[in-house]
Amino acid sequence: MTGHTVGIVGAGAIGQTIAALLVGEPWCDRLLITSRMAESAAGLVADLGDMAHVVHADTRVQAVTAAELDQADAVVMCPRATFTNTATRNVRMAGLAANAPLIAELGCTPAGYTRPVVMVTNPVDVLALLFGTISGAPTYGIGSATDTARYRAVLAAHHRVPVDRAPRRARADRAAVGLARRSARPARGGA
């Protein structure tokens, strides 16, 4: 085999879909699946193994820990923290407080990973920037332009200024990372 190894973080609907699409791709030799719940990763690996057999694909699929993702040529980040999104506005941004700590923790593992990372977890732009800042890996957000507009609107509301006066890209990025880092911190005085 002369293909590549792709890591997938998250065995939910998005991770399952991406992994299923990659199983039959001739350029993808290996899929490394990790999830906060090992049994979810193991179940997805079993399903993908069956799929590979049915479609006569040579792709090898295995469950790994986050630390073992250093074997991957690229990683797709699609974990989702456990939370109920009750927002009726800014639905994607509502995931920031729940997902930022998870992404921040993953940004520390595997240490020294420098290959491409594709962020799919919402809010994509903020979390891609957070992960890239912490990990140092080149990180790309899927859906970034729309999320940039969304978090710029959130920043405008936070600073009580019109959207056209909200921080532009570089300043908005720094502000968003600060917001994400604050969201990633444990609450003070908690139990």
Short mmCIF file of all heavy atoms in Angstrom, two decimals, residues 51-111:
data_model
loop_
_atom_site.label_atom_id
_atom_site.label_comp_id
_atom_site.label_asym_id
_atom_site.label_seq_id
_atom_site.Cartn_x
_atom_site.Cartn_y
_atom_site.Cartn_z
N MET A 51 -17.63 -3.07 6.42
CA MET A 51 -17.84 -2.31 5.19
C MET A 51 -16.68 -2.49 4.22
O MET A 51 -16.89 -2.69 3.02
CB MET A 51 -18.03 -0.83 5.52
CG MET A 51 -18.29 0.04 4.32
SD MET A 51 -18.43 1.76 4.87
CE MET A 51 -18.62 2.54 3.29
N ALA A 52 -15.46 -2.43 4.74
CA ALA A 52 -14.27 -2.61 3.90
C ALA A 52 -14.30 -3.98 3.22
O ALA A 52 -13.97 -4.12 2.04
CB ALA A 52 -13.00 -2.45 4.73
N HIS A 53 -14.72 -4.99 3.97
CA HIS A 53 -14.81 -6.35 3.40
C HIS A 53 -15.84 -6.40 2.28
O HIS A 53 -15.59 -6.95 1.21
CB HIS A 53 -15.17 -7.34 4.52
CG HIS A 53 -15.35 -8.74 4.02
ND1 HIS A 53 -14.28 -9.53 3.64
CD2 HIS A 53 -16.47 -9.46 3.81
CE1 HIS A 53 -14.74 -10.69 3.23
NE2 HIS A 53 -16.07 -10.68 3.33
N VAL A 54 -17.01 -5.79 2.50
CA VAL A 54 -18.10 -5.82 1.52
C VAL A 54 -17.71 -5.10 0.23
O VAL A 54 -18.04 -5.55 -0.87
CB VAL A 54 -19.39 -5.22 2.12
CG1 VAL A 54 -20.45 -4.97 1.06
CG2 VAL A 54 -19.93 -6.12 3.21
N VAL A 55 -17.02 -3.96 0.36
CA VAL A 55 -16.67 -3.18 -0.83
C VAL A 55 -15.28 -3.53 -1.38
O VAL A 55 -14.79 -2.87 -2.28
CB VAL A 55 -16.79 -1.65 -0.57
CG1 VAL A 55 -18.20 -1.27 -0.20
CG2 VAL A 55 -15.78 -1.18 0.46
N HIS A 56 -14.68 -4.57 -0.81
CA HIS A 56 -13.36 -5.05 -1.26
C HIS A 56 -12.29 -3.95 -1.15
O HIS A 56 -11.47 -3.78 -2.05
CB HIS A 56 -13.42 -5.60 -2.68
CG HIS A 56 -14.46 -6.65 -2.85
ND1 HIS A 56 -14.34 -7.92 -2.32
CD2 HIS A 56 -15.67 -6.62 -3.47
CE1 HIS A 56 -15.42 -8.63 -2.60
NE2 HIS A 56 -16.25 -7.87 -3.29
N ALA A 57 -12.32 -3.23 -0.06
CA ALA A 57 -11.33 -2.17 0.18
C ALA A 57 -10.19 -2.73 1.04
O ALA A 57 -10.41 -3.60 1.88
CB ALA A 57 -11.99 -0.99 0.89
N ASP A 58 -9.00 -2.22 0.82
CA ASP A 58 -7.84 -2.66 1.59
C ASP A 58 -7.57 -1.77 2.81
O ASP A 58 -6.58 -1.96 3.50
CB ASP A 58 -6.59 -2.66 0.70
CG ASP A 58 -6.66 -3.74 -0.37
OD1 ASP A 58 -7.25 -4.81 -0.09
OD2 ASP A 58 -6.13 -3.51 -1.47
N THR A 59 -8.43 -0.80 3.05
CA THR A 59 -8.23 0.13 4.15
C THR A 59 -8.26 -0.61 5.48
O THR A 59 -9.18 -1.36 5.77
CB THR A 59 -9.32 1.22 4.16
OG1 THR A 59 -9.36 1.83 2.87
CG2 THR A 59 -9.04 2.27 5.22
N ARG A 60 -7.23 -0.41 6.28
CA ARG A 60 -7.17 -0.99 7.63
C ARG A 60 -7.72 0.04 8.61
O ARG A 60 -7.35 1.21 8.55
CB ARG A 60 -5.74 -1.36 8.01
CG ARG A 60 -5.18 -2.50 7.15
CD ARG A 60 -3.69 -2.70 7.36
NE ARG A 60 -3.00 -1.53 6.78
CZ ARG A 60 -1.91 -0.98 7.27
NH1 ARG A 60 -1.35 -1.45 8.35
NH2 ARG A 60 -1.35 0.06 6.68
N VAL A 61 -8.58 -0.40 9.50
CA VAL A 61 -9.22 0.50 10.45
C VAL A 61 -8.91 0.02 11.86
O VAL A 61 -9.03 -1.17 12.15
CB VAL A 61 -10.75 0.54 10.24
CG1 VAL A 61 -11.38 1.58 11.15
CG2 VAL A 61 -11.10 0.81 8.78
N GLN A 62 -8.48 0.94 12.73
CA GLN A 62 -8.21 0.54 14.11
C GLN A 62 -8.58 1.65 15.08
O GLN A 62 -8.52 2.83 14.76
CB GLN A 62 -6.76 0.12 14.29
CG GLN A 62 -5.76 1.25 14.18
CD GLN A 62 -4.32 0.74 14.26
OE1 GLN A 62 -3.69 0.61 13.24
NE2 GLN A 62 -3.84 0.49 15.46
N ALA A 63 -8.98 1.22 16.27
CA ALA A 63 -9.25 2.15 17.36
C ALA A 63 -7.92 2.49 18.02
O ALA A 63 -7.07 1.61 18.21
CB ALA A 63 -10.20 1.51 18.37
N VAL A 64 -7.73 3.75 18.35
CA VAL A 64 -6.50 4.21 18.97
C VAL A 64 -6.84 5.21 20.07
O VAL A 64 -7.97 5.65 20.19
CB VAL A 64 -5.53 4.87 17.95
CG1 VAL A 64 -5.10 3.89 16.88
CG2 VAL A 64 -6.17 6.11 17.32
N THR A 65 -5.83 5.56 20.85
CA THR A 65 -5.98 6.66 21.80
C THR A 65 -5.62 7.96 21.09
O THR A 65 -4.98 7.93 20.03
CB THR A 65 -5.04 6.48 23.01
OG1 THR A 65 -3.69 6.57 22.55
CG2 THR A 65 -5.28 5.13 23.70
N ALA A 66 -5.99 9.07 21.66
CA ALA A 66 -5.64 10.36 21.06
C ALA A 66 -4.14 10.51 20.92
O ALA A 66 -3.65 11.08 19.94
CB ALA A 66 -6.23 11.50 21.89
N ALA A 67 -3.38 9.98 21.85
CA ALA A 67 -1.91 10.08 21.79
C ALA A 67 -1.34 9.35 20.59
O ALA A 67 -0.27 9.70 20.10
CB ALA A 67 -1.30 9.56 23.08
N GLU A 68 -2.04 8.34 20.10
CA GLU A 68 -1.55 7.55 18.96
C GLU A 68 -1.85 8.21 17.61
O GLU A 68 -1.44 7.70 16.57
CB GLU A 68 -2.16 6.15 18.99
CG GLU A 68 -1.68 5.33 20.18
CD GLU A 68 -2.41 4.01 20.30
OE1 GLU A 68 -3.61 4.04 20.68
OE2 GLU A 68 -1.78 2.97 20.01
N LEU A 69 -2.53 9.33 17.62
CA LEU A 69 -2.83 10.02 16.37
C LEU A 69 -1.59 10.61 15.71
O LEU A 69 -1.65 11.07 14.57
CB LEU A 69 -3.88 11.11 16.59
CG LEU A 69 -5.28 10.60 16.91
CD1 LEU A 69 -6.18 11.75 17.29
CD2 LEU A 69 -5.86 9.81 15.75
N ASP A 70 -0.47 10.58 16.42
CA ASP A 70 0.77 11.08 15.81
C ASP A 70 1.20 10.22 14.62
O ASP A 70 2.05 10.62 13.84
CB ASP A 70 1.89 11.18 16.85
CG ASP A 70 2.29 9.84 17.44
OD1 ASP A 70 1.58 8.83 17.22
OD2 ASP A 70 3.30 9.81 18.17
N GLN A 71 0.56 9.06 14.44
CA GLN A 71 0.82 8.19 13.29
C GLN A 71 0.10 8.67 12.03
O GLN A 71 0.37 8.18 10.94
CB GLN A 71 0.37 6.76 13.60
CG GLN A 71 1.00 6.14 14.82
CD GLN A 71 0.28 4.85 15.19
OE1 GLN A 71 -0.01 4.02 14.34
NE2 GLN A 71 -0.02 4.70 16.47
N ALA A 72 -0.85 9.58 12.18
CA ALA A 72 -1.70 10.00 11.06
C ALA A 72 -1.02 11.07 10.21
O ALA A 72 -0.28 11.92 10.70
CB ALA A 72 -3.03 10.53 11.59
N ASP A 73 -1.32 11.03 8.91
CA ASP A 73 -0.85 12.06 7.99
C ASP A 73 -1.73 13.31 8.07
O ASP A 73 -1.30 14.40 7.73
CB ASP A 73 -0.86 11.53 6.56
CG ASP A 73 0.11 10.38 6.38
OD1 ASP A 73 1.29 10.54 6.75
OD2 ASP A 73 -0.32 9.31 5.89
N ALA A 74 -2.95 13.12 8.52
CA ALA A 74 -3.90 14.22 8.72
C ALA A 74 -4.95 13.73 9.71
O ALA A 74 -5.19 12.53 9.83
CB ALA A 74 -4.57 14.62 7.41
N VAL A 75 -5.56 14.68 10.42
CA VAL A 75 -6.58 14.33 11.42
C VAL A 75 -7.83 15.17 11.16
O VAL A 75 -7.74 16.37 10.88
CB VAL A 75 -6.06 14.59 12.85
CG1 VAL A 75 -7.17 14.41 13.88
CG2 VAL A 75 -4.89 13.68 13.17
N VAL A 76 -8.98 14.52 11.26
CA VAL A 76 -10.26 15.20 11.18
C VAL A 76 -10.82 15.25 12.60
O VAL A 76 -11.01 14.22 13.24
CB VAL A 76 -11.25 14.47 10.25
CG1 VAL A 76 -12.60 15.20 10.23
CG2 VAL A 76 -10.67 14.35 8.85
N MET A 77 -11.05 16.47 13.10
CA MET A 77 -11.57 16.66 14.46
C MET A 77 -13.08 16.86 14.40
O MET A 77 -13.55 17.87 13.87
CB MET A 77 -10.94 17.91 15.09
CG MET A 77 -9.43 17.86 15.25
SD MET A 77 -8.93 16.76 16.54
CE MET A 77 -9.55 17.62 17.95
N CYS A 78 -13.81 15.90 14.95
CA CYS A 78 -15.27 16.04 14.97
C CYS A 78 -15.87 15.52 16.28
O CYS A 78 -16.95 14.93 16.28
CB CYS A 78 -15.91 15.37 13.76
SG CYS A 78 -15.32 13.72 13.38
N PRO A 79 -15.19 15.76 17.41
CA PRO A 79 -15.81 15.37 18.67
C PRO A 79 -16.88 16.37 19.07
O PRO A 79 -16.88 17.51 18.59
CB PRO A 79 -14.65 15.41 19.66
CG PRO A 79 -13.81 16.53 19.15
CD PRO A 79 -13.90 16.42 17.64
N ARG A 80 -17.77 15.95 19.92
CA ARG A 80 -18.80 16.86 20.44
C ARG A 80 -18.96 16.55 21.92
O ARG A 80 -19.17 15.41 22.30
CB ARG A 80 -20.13 16.65 19.72
CG ARG A 80 -21.22 17.62 20.17
CD ARG A 80 -22.53 17.33 19.45
NE ARG A 80 -23.56 18.30 19.71
CZ ARG A 80 -24.39 18.27 20.76
NH1 ARG A 80 -24.28 17.31 21.65
NH2 ARG A 80 -25.31 19.19 20.91
N ALA A 81 -18.86 17.58 22.72
CA ALA A 81 -19.08 17.40 24.15
C ALA A 81 -20.54 17.04 24.39
O ALA A 81 -21.42 17.35 23.58
CB ALA A 81 -18.73 18.70 24.89
N THR A 82 -20.79 16.39 25.49
CA THR A 82 -22.16 16.04 25.84
C THR A 82 -22.85 17.27 26.43
O THR A 82 -22.46 17.75 27.48
CB THR A 82 -22.17 14.89 26.87
OG1 THR A 82 -21.46 13.80 26.32
CG2 THR A 82 -23.58 14.47 27.21
N PHE A 83 -23.83 17.79 25.72
CA PHE A 83 -24.61 18.92 26.20
C PHE A 83 -25.88 19.00 25.37
O PHE A 83 -25.95 18.46 24.27
CB PHE A 83 -23.83 20.24 26.13
CG PHE A 83 -23.68 20.81 24.74
CD1 PHE A 83 -24.48 21.86 24.32
CD2 PHE A 83 -22.73 20.30 23.87
CE1 PHE A 83 -24.34 22.39 23.04
CE2 PHE A 83 -22.59 20.83 22.60
CZ PHE A 83 -23.39 21.87 22.18
N THR A 84 -26.88 19.64 25.91
CA THR A 84 -28.12 19.87 25.18
C THR A 84 -28.13 21.31 24.71
O THR A 84 -28.06 22.23 25.53
CB THR A 84 -29.35 19.59 26.09
OG1 THR A 84 -29.27 18.24 26.54
CG2 THR A 84 -30.64 19.81 25.33
N ASN A 85 -28.19 21.48 23.43
CA ASN A 85 -28.19 22.82 22.85
C ASN A 85 -29.63 23.33 22.82
O ASN A 85 -30.44 22.88 22.02
CB ASN A 85 -27.59 22.79 21.44
CG ASN A 85 -27.32 24.18 20.91
OD1 ASN A 85 -27.85 25.16 21.42
ND2 ASN A 85 -26.50 24.26 19.89
N THR A 86 -29.93 24.26 23.70
CA THR A 86 -31.28 24.82 23.77
C THR A 86 -31.38 26.19 23.11
O THR A 86 -32.42 26.82 23.17
CB THR A 86 -31.74 24.93 25.24
OG1 THR A 86 -30.80 25.76 25.94
CG2 THR A 86 -31.81 23.56 25.90
N ALA A 87 -30.29 26.61 22.49
CA ALA A 87 -30.28 27.94 21.86
C ALA A 87 -31.23 28.00 20.68
O ALA A 87 -31.35 27.04 19.91
CB ALA A 87 -28.86 28.28 21.40
N THR A 88 -31.88 29.11 20.53
CA THR A 88 -32.73 29.33 19.37
C THR A 88 -32.06 30.31 18.40
O THR A 88 -32.45 30.40 17.25
CB THR A 88 -34.11 29.89 19.78
OG1 THR A 88 -33.92 31.07 20.54
CG2 THR A 88 -34.87 28.85 20.59
N ARG A 89 -31.05 31.02 18.90
CA ARG A 89 -30.23 31.91 18.08
C ARG A 89 -28.78 31.52 18.33
O ARG A 89 -28.44 30.99 19.37
CB ARG A 89 -30.43 33.37 18.48
CG ARG A 89 -31.82 33.88 18.18
CD ARG A 89 -31.99 35.29 18.68
NE ARG A 89 -30.71 35.96 18.85
CZ ARG A 89 -30.55 37.26 18.98
NH1 ARG A 89 -31.58 38.02 18.95
NH2 ARG A 89 -29.37 37.78 19.16
N ASN A 90 -27.91 31.81 17.39
CA ASN A 90 -26.49 31.48 17.52
C ASN A 90 -26.31 30.03 17.93
O ASN A 90 -25.55 29.71 18.85
CB ASN A 90 -25.80 32.40 18.53
CG ASN A 90 -25.80 33.83 18.07
OD1 ASN A 90 -25.67 34.11 16.87
ND2 ASN A 90 -25.94 34.76 18.99
N VAL A 91 -26.98 29.13 17.26
CA VAL A 91 -27.00 27.72 17.61
C VAL A 91 -25.59 27.13 17.62
O VAL A 91 -25.22 26.40 18.54
CB VAL A 91 -27.93 26.93 16.65
CG1 VAL A 91 -27.84 25.44 16.91
CG2 VAL A 91 -29.35 27.41 16.80
N ARG A 92 -24.78 27.47 16.62
CA ARG A 92 -23.42 26.92 16.57
C ARG A 92 -22.54 27.47 17.69
O ARG A 92 -21.73 26.77 18.25
CB ARG A 92 -22.79 27.17 15.21
CG ARG A 92 -23.37 26.27 14.14
CD ARG A 92 -22.74 26.55 12.79
NE ARG A 92 -23.24 25.65 11.79
CZ ARG A 92 -24.36 25.83 11.11
NH1 ARG A 92 -25.11 26.88 11.34
NH2 ARG A 92 -24.75 24.96 10.19
N MET A 93 -22.73 28.76 17.99
CA MET A 93 -21.93 29.36 19.05
C MET A 93 -22.30 28.82 20.42
O MET A 93 -21.49 28.86 21.35
CB MET A 93 -22.09 30.88 19.04
CG MET A 93 -21.44 31.56 17.84
SD MET A 93 -19.66 31.27 17.72
CE MET A 93 -19.09 32.26 19.08
N ALA A 94 -23.49 28.28 20.57
CA ALA A 94 -23.91 27.73 21.86
C ALA A 94 -23.02 26.57 22.28
O ALA A 94 -22.89 26.27 23.46
CB ALA A 94 -25.37 27.29 21.80
N GLY A 95 -22.39 25.92 21.32
CA GLY A 95 -21.50 24.81 21.64
C GLY A 95 -20.14 25.23 22.15
O GLY A 95 -19.36 24.39 22.60
N LEU A 96 -19.83 26.51 22.11
CA LEU A 96 -18.50 26.97 22.51
C LEU A 96 -18.16 26.59 23.94
O LEU A 96 -17.10 26.00 24.19
CB LEU A 96 -18.38 28.49 22.32
CG LEU A 96 -17.02 29.09 22.72
CD1 LEU A 96 -15.91 28.50 21.86
CD2 LEU A 96 -17.07 30.60 22.58
N ALA A 97 -19.02 26.90 24.88
CA ALA A 97 -18.72 26.62 26.29
C ALA A 97 -18.53 25.13 26.53
O ALA A 97 -17.69 24.72 27.32
CB ALA A 97 -19.83 27.16 27.19
N ALA A 98 -19.30 24.30 25.84
CA ALA A 98 -19.19 22.85 26.03
C ALA A 98 -18.01 22.25 25.28
O ALA A 98 -17.29 21.40 25.81
CB ALA A 98 -20.49 22.17 25.58
N ASN A 99 -17.79 22.69 24.04
CA ASN A 99 -16.77 22.06 23.19
C ASN A 99 -15.36 22.61 23.39
O ASN A 99 -14.39 21.90 23.14
CB ASN A 99 -17.17 22.18 21.72
CG ASN A 99 -18.35 21.30 21.38
OD1 ASN A 99 -18.49 20.20 21.90
ND2 ASN A 99 -19.22 21.77 20.51
N ALA A 100 -15.22 23.86 23.82
CA ALA A 100 -13.89 24.46 23.96
C ALA A 100 -12.98 23.67 24.92
O ALA A 100 -11.82 23.43 24.59
CB ALA A 100 -13.98 25.92 24.38
N PRO A 101 -13.45 23.24 26.10
CA PRO A 101 -12.56 22.47 26.97
C PRO A 101 -12.10 21.16 26.33
O PRO A 101 -10.94 20.76 26.47
CB PRO A 101 -13.41 22.19 28.22
CG PRO A 101 -14.47 23.25 28.20
CD PRO A 101 -14.74 23.52 26.75
N LEU A 102 -13.00 20.51 25.61
CA LEU A 102 -12.67 19.26 24.93
C LEU A 102 -11.60 19.49 23.86
O LEU A 102 -10.61 18.77 23.79
CB LEU A 102 -13.95 18.68 24.32
CG LEU A 102 -13.84 17.43 23.47
CD1 LEU A 102 -13.33 16.26 24.30
CD2 LEU A 102 -15.21 17.10 22.88
N ILE A 103 -11.78 20.50 23.04
CA ILE A 103 -10.84 20.81 21.97
C ILE A 103 -9.50 21.27 22.56
O ILE A 103 -8.43 20.91 22.06
CB ILE A 103 -11.43 21.87 21.02
CG1 ILE A 103 -12.68 21.32 20.33
CG2 ILE A 103 -10.39 22.34 20.01
CD1 ILE A 103 -12.50 20.05 19.54
N ALA A 104 -9.55 22.06 23.64
CA ALA A 104 -8.31 22.52 24.29
C ALA A 104 -7.52 21.32 24.81
O ALA A 104 -6.29 21.25 24.64
CB ALA A 104 -8.63 23.48 25.43
N GLU A 105 -8.20 20.37 25.42
CA GLU A 105 -7.52 19.17 25.92
C GLU A 105 -6.91 18.37 24.77
O GLU A 105 -5.76 17.93 24.84
CB GLU A 105 -8.52 18.30 26.68
CG GLU A 105 -7.90 17.03 27.25
CD GLU A 105 -8.93 16.18 27.98
OE1 GLU A 105 -9.93 16.72 28.49
OE2 GLU A 105 -8.73 14.96 28.02
N LEU A 106 -7.66 18.21 23.68
CA LEU A 106 -7.14 17.49 22.52
C LEU A 106 -5.97 18.24 21.86
O LEU A 106 -5.11 17.62 21.25
CB LEU A 106 -8.25 17.25 21.50
CG LEU A 106 -9.29 16.21 21.91
CD1 LEU A 106 -10.52 16.29 21.02
CD2 LEU A 106 -8.69 14.81 21.87
N GLY A 107 -5.95 19.57 22.00
CA GLY A 107 -4.86 20.36 21.45
C GLY A 107 -3.52 20.05 22.08
O GLY A 107 -2.47 20.31 21.51
N CYS A 108 -3.55 19.46 23.25
CA CYS A 108 -2.31 19.08 23.96
C CYS A 108 -1.86 17.66 23.61
O CYS A 108 -0.78 17.24 24.02
CB CYS A 108 -2.52 19.19 25.47
SG CYS A 108 -2.90 20.86 26.00
N THR A 109 -2.70 16.90 22.90
CA THR A 109 -2.39 15.50 22.60
C THR A 109 -2.72 15.24 21.15
O THR A 109 -3.80 15.58 20.71
CB THR A 109 -3.27 14.57 23.46
OG1 THR A 109 -3.12 14.94 24.81
CG2 THR A 109 -2.90 13.13 23.28
N PRO A 110 -1.89 14.64 20.36
CA PRO A 110 -0.54 14.21 20.72
C PRO A 110 0.43 15.38 20.70
O PRO A 110 0.32 16.26 19.85
CB PRO A 110 -0.20 13.19 19.63
CG PRO A 110 -1.01 13.62 18.45
CD PRO A 110 -2.26 14.25 19.01
N ALA A 111 1.35 15.38 21.60
CA ALA A 111 2.33 16.45 21.70
C ALA A 111 3.21 16.45 20.45
O ALA A 111 3.64 15.41 19.98
CB ALA A 111 3.19 16.26 22.94
#
